[in-house]
Amino acid sequence: MDREAKLTDPQRKPAIAGALLICAAIVLVLVGRHAQTPREIDPQSVVTSVAVRFDDLADGSVVASNAETGAELGRIGMGVGGFVRVTMRSFAIERKQRGLGSDVPFTLSRMTDGDLLLQDPLTHRTMLLNAFGPANEGAFAQLLDKGRTIQ
């Protein structure tokens, strides 16, 4: 193939663009994984919080309770509360992978800026629940509101 034919190949530019796109994606993934720093929670910015324990029941439902008072904050039956179930399972799996138990409760907090955070004091994982939309955040907000009225 001569030089002129190589430069006029119609697939050359799309192939180069595709390769550059793949390289950019790889770089962004690598930088993004290392750029995440744990969010520092200023105790002064916590409006309300509750220590929450999640327990599986024999019928497949999950009970959320105030870890300090033992009062039930909510009961999630089979086939409902998917976001709460998935979120808490991911937190439980992370604890299990690290060889940590389930005896320490999670902390659910509302901040002065309106952010709703779920924190695991054992793994130091913090999840910003507002990021998952109002309906999903609302499922946890109900637990926090119930915890606030019980205390």
Side-chain angles (χ1 to χ4, degrees):
M1 187 184 280
D2 66 345
R3 181 174 163 82
E4 187 176 314
K6 197 184 260 187
L7 293 176
T8 59
D9 182 8
Q11 296 177 353
R12 185 170 190 259
K13 287 182 181 178
I16 291 172
L20 289 173
L21 185 62
I22 291 170
C23 289
I26 291 171
V27 167
L28 289 174
V29 167
L30 293 174
V31 169
R33 283 189 181 176
H34 298 293
Q36 295 176 359
T37 57
R39 179 174 177 172
E40 291 293 323
I41 306 300
D42 177 13
Q44 301 280 331
S45 65
V46 176
V47 174
T48 186
S49 69
V50 64
V52 183
R53 184 175 312 283
F54 292 88
D55 296 303
D56 293 318
L57 299 179
D59 66 356
S61 56
V62 175
V63 172
S65 58
N66 183 319
E68 295 171 6
T69 66
E72 185 175 308
L73 301 177
R75 188 175 293 251
I76 304 162
M78 285 293 296
V80 295
F83 179 68
V84 174
R85 286 177 179 275
V86 167
T87 301
M88 296 321 303
R89 294 266 188 260
S90 73
F91 274 72
I93 288 169
E94 186 172 355
R95 280 186 175 187
K96 194 173 209 176
Q97 288 173 341
R98 295 181 182 199
L100 303 170
S102 61
D103 52 328
V104 176
F106 301 96
T107 304
L108 184 59
S109 305
R110 169 124 10 239
M111 311 308 283
T112 54
D113 62 2
D115 285 348
L116 189 63
L117 302 175
L118 180 65
Q119 298 172 286
D120 184 347
L122 291 181
T123 63
H124 305 289
R125 179 177 176 189
T126 299
M127 183 178 283
L128 176 63
L129 298 169
N130 304 44
F132 298 97
N136 290 327
E137 175 195 10
F140 279 96
Q142 287 177 349
L143 300 176
L144 183 63
D145 292 341
K146 180 111 184 222
R148 186 175 54 224
T149 58
I150 289 173
Q151 293 178 352

